Amino acid sequence: MNVKPDFNKNANQAATAPAFLSVYDLHAYYGESYIVQGVNFNVHEGEILALLGRNGAGKTSTLRAVARLADPQVTYGEIWLDHQPLHTMSAHQASMAGIGLVPEDRRIISGLTVEENLQLAQIAPPIGWSLDRLYDLFPRLGERRKQEGVTLSGGEQQMLAIARALARDIKVLLLDEPYEGLAPVIVDEIEKTLIHIKEQGITTVIVEQNAIRALELSDRAVILDTGQIVFDGSAAEVLKDEALRAEYLAI
Ligand SMILES: Nc1ncnc2c1ncn2[C@@H]1O[C@H](COP(=O)(O)OP(=O)(O)OP(=O)(O)O)[C@@H](O)[C@H]1O
Ligand SMILES: [Mg+2]
């Protein structure tokens, strides 16, 4: 299995990534704890990639490293988004460059309505989808635009968190456990919106404990185990391979 991306380096050229989003030999620490241990993966433009693995495998840490958050601290490696070197950027710069992270805890701002949460995301460029377009995709948010965001149901808060990412002009949506704690019918609803978002050309990386649901949605999958990639292939392959799922996903 070849998991190392085809990174082109030559004397005349800085490293350029062949894929839309490329993570190359990424190493990251929390203090002394070595967590992300040489991770490589590629995401192609417009596809959905499932980033899977057991609890503590390093999925959230990898997403946070790609989004350039302060923790974990990246000590080595390269991250390229559409020919831009994310590994040289701050979190703010990565957001400006087109990374939209939807964290597991959703981070809805209390004291603000649904609409104010969205408007806050649009306070500065690069501005993405208009409020009307966001409410077309998430009619429940339109109906509740004047309601305080934190009083929404879990599913609605997840929709708001995704809508807020789209309110910025993003190229890649990074979703950390978007289905967590949600009823299957709400997962269906969110899944439909993720398909629509893909049809609009946005690239997605989804981390999910509900691996089957994530795989059914995804084009490709990578599996992390103790901070290293142990599988890189099609989502269909993981769905078919029970032994692989039992070994690394415990499902
Ligand atoms: N802030 C932190 N400080 C120290 N160690 C951390 C911190 N955050 C995570 N870790 C450790 O890093 C490892 C990977 O954690 P991470 O949250 O990336 O895993 P994960 O794959 O997202 O797991 P889960 O499925 O439970 O969300 C774990 O051993 C975790 O205890
Ligand atoms: Mg996690």
Side-chain angles (χ1 to χ4, degrees):
M1 174 180 20
N2 179 17
V3 296
K4 197 165 175 173
D6 176 22
F7 244 65
N8 310 310
K9 279 192 182 181
N10 66 44
N12 306 321
Q13 216 186 348
T16 54
F20 194 59
L21 174 67
S22 241
V23 173
Y24 176 69
D25 203 14
L26 191 69
H27 298 256
Y29 290 76
Y30 294 102
E32 300 284 299
S33 304
Y34 181 33
I35 301 298
V36 178
Q37 306 183 354
V39 162
N40 294 287
F41 63 89
N42 285 322
V43 194
H44 305 295
E45 189 167 14
E47 80 175 353
I48 302 180
L49 177 85
L51 173 59
L52 304 175
R54 275 191 283 251
N55 289 123
K59 305 179 297 293
T60 296
S61 304
T62 300
L63 289 188
R64 290 177 59 87
V66 169
R68 307 298 297 123
L69 298 180
D71 286 315
Q73 211 189 344
V74 172
T75 55
Y76 191 84
E78 297 182 12
I79 309 164
W80 292 83
L81 171 62
D82 196 14
H83 308 288
Q84 305 169 90
L86 290 184
H87 52 278
T88 67
M89 297 183 191
S90 66
H92 176 67
Q93 289 167 332
S95 155
M96 303 279 285
I99 290 286
L101 173 67
V102 179
E104 194 176 356
D105 61 9
R106 296 160 193 162
R107 302 278 166 92
I108 307 305
I109 298 174
S110 73
L112 298 187
T113 64
V114 166
E115 190 145 295
E116 287 164 348
N117 266 276
L118 296 172
Q119 283 168 332
L120 191 62
Q122 297 190 324
I123 216 158
I127 292 167
W129 294 23
S130 67
L131 292 179
D132 285 345
R133 193 172 170 201
L134 292 168
Y135 294 148
D136 276 345
L137 180 60
F138 297 107
R140 283 160 174 265
L141 296 182
E143 289 158 20
R144 292 163 178 74
R145 64 175 77 190
K146 300 291 175 215
Q147 190 174 325
E148 191 182 347
V150 293
T151 67
L152 297 175
S153 71
E156 289 160 356
Q157 287 195 31
Q158 186 60 52
M159 292 172 196
L160 179 55
I162 296 171
R164 191 175 49 187
L166 295 171
R168 314 262 315 147
D169 186 17
I170 58 166
K171 295 178 173 159
V172 175
L173 186 60
L174 304 177
L175 299 170
D176 198 354
E177 310 220 11
Y179 302 157
E180 191 184 12
L182 306 183
V185 38
I186 306 296
V187 172
D188 291 343
E189 214 175 304
I190 290 178
E191 187 178 62
K192 275 195 203 123
T193 66
L194 297 179
I195 292 167
H196 179 83
I197 290 165
K198 176 186 170 150
E199 286 166 358
Q200 306 306 302
I202 292 176
T203 306
T204 297
V205 178
I206 179 169
V207 165
E208 208 14 90
Q209 282 301 330
N210 193 341
I212 301 289
R213 290 299 301 253
L215 287 162
E216 285 167 352
L217 173 74
S218 299
D219 302 290
R220 289 191 313 109
V222 292
I223 300 179
L224 263 177
D225 195 50
T226 52
Q228 297 181 340
I229 299 284
V230 292
F231 173 88
D232 184 331
S234 75
E237 214 174 321
V238 185
L239 281 170
K240 270 189 298 197
D241 192 337
E242 269 182 48
L244 178 75
R245 292 208 309 273
E247 184 170 4
Y248 295 116
L249 305 176
I251 50 165

